[in-house]
Amino acid sequence: LPHNSNILLRTNTNRSTMASNSNASQTFTCALTGLTPLTDAVVTPSGYICSRKLLLTKLSENGGMDPFDTSRTLDESTLVDLTSSSAAAAAPPRPPTATSLPSLLTQISSEFDTVLLELYDTRKALEETRRELSSALYQNDAAVRVVARLVRERDEARAALEEFLAKGGPAVVTATTPPATNEEQDGTKRN
């Protein structure tokens, strides 16, 4: 089992490194991104710590091959969870540069600018949606008016036809019985 001993060796090395740190729940860093996976840290069989979501995305991209050891395949069942309840509840630490007043002001200003740009984009999309809705309502209104006019003209035509027939107009041939042909009137059919 050299494969499993390799995992144990790397995991024990990581544990000894974590034990020397005061806050062990935040020492996991993703081998793919270098960031701290907060809620979904896993260990691969090759001993690397990664974010589960990113690792599964990477596996789907490269056909199930281990991104760290391309000689073997990897699936979700071989991953070991590292998430603890205290790590899931803890907020990510601020970087050291975000603790001074000027950096906090810069960060707030940047977030404010982002919110303003998002508000501008939202208002622009709202105005475009209003224009589209207005155009669609005008088209619907025009279509309703055309249909109403056609219904009115149809009713007027029916009334005029009934009035014409009531005054003794020509007999109307019904649509259900086809008019008789010359052959049917003679009583002979040709085959």
Side-chain angles (χ1 to χ4, degrees):
L1 296 173
H3 176 273
N4 290 338
S5 62
N6 187 19
I7 293 173
L8 292 175
L9 176 65
R10 288 189 186 188
T11 307
N12 287 336
T13 305
N14 287 338
R15 285 184 185 154
S16 64
T17 305
M18 289 186 302
S20 65
N21 294 333
S22 62
N23 192 357
S25 66
Q26 295 179 358
T27 59
F28 300 133
T29 56
C30 180
L32 292 173
T33 63
L35 301 175
T36 303
L38 296 176
T39 59
D40 61 348
V42 293
V43 175
T44 65
S46 53
Y48 290 94
I49 298 173
C50 299
S51 168
R52 177 184 295 274
K53 179 178 163 187
L54 292 175
L55 184 61
L56 293 177
T57 303
K58 189 71 171 172
L59 288 174
S60 67
E61 289 175 1
N62 63 10
M65 297 300 293
D66 189 340
F68 306 108
D69 185 7
T70 55
S71 64
R72 67 175 121 182
T73 60
L74 181 65
D75 64 350
E76 190 173 0
S77 65
T78 59
L79 302 177
V80 178
D81 274 335
L82 292 179
T83 306
S84 64
S85 60
S86 63
R94 287 188 176 170
T97 57
T99 57
S100 68
L101 187 59
S103 63
L104 287 174
L105 289 174
T106 302
Q107 189 177 16
I108 290 171
S109 174
S110 173
E111 289 178 12
F112 179 74
D113 292 343
T114 303
V115 168
L116 284 180
L117 288 174
E118 184 179 352
L119 179 64
Y120 172 76
D121 291 341
T122 304
R123 286 184 178 172
K124 189 176 178 182
L126 175 64
E127 187 61 35
E128 182 179 334
T129 303
R130 280 184 178 169
R131 271 184 269 149
E132 290 174 3
L133 180 60
S134 176
S135 175
L137 287 174
Y138 283 130
Q139 288 176 355
N140 185 36
D141 188 44
V144 167
R145 280 187 264 134
V146 166
V147 168
R149 186 193 58 173
L150 290 174
V151 167
R152 188 183 69 239
E153 289 176 0
R154 181 201 64 192
D155 291 343
E156 289 173 358
R158 281 185 180 169
L161 180 62
E162 288 176 5
E163 184 181 324
F164 177 71
L165 292 176
K167 291 183 179 179
V172 178
V173 177
T174 61
T176 57
T177 57
T181 60
N182 290 339
E183 294 175 354
E184 291 176 351
Q185 289 175 356
D186 295 340
T188 59
K189 288 188 179 180
R190 297 183 185 171
N191 289 335

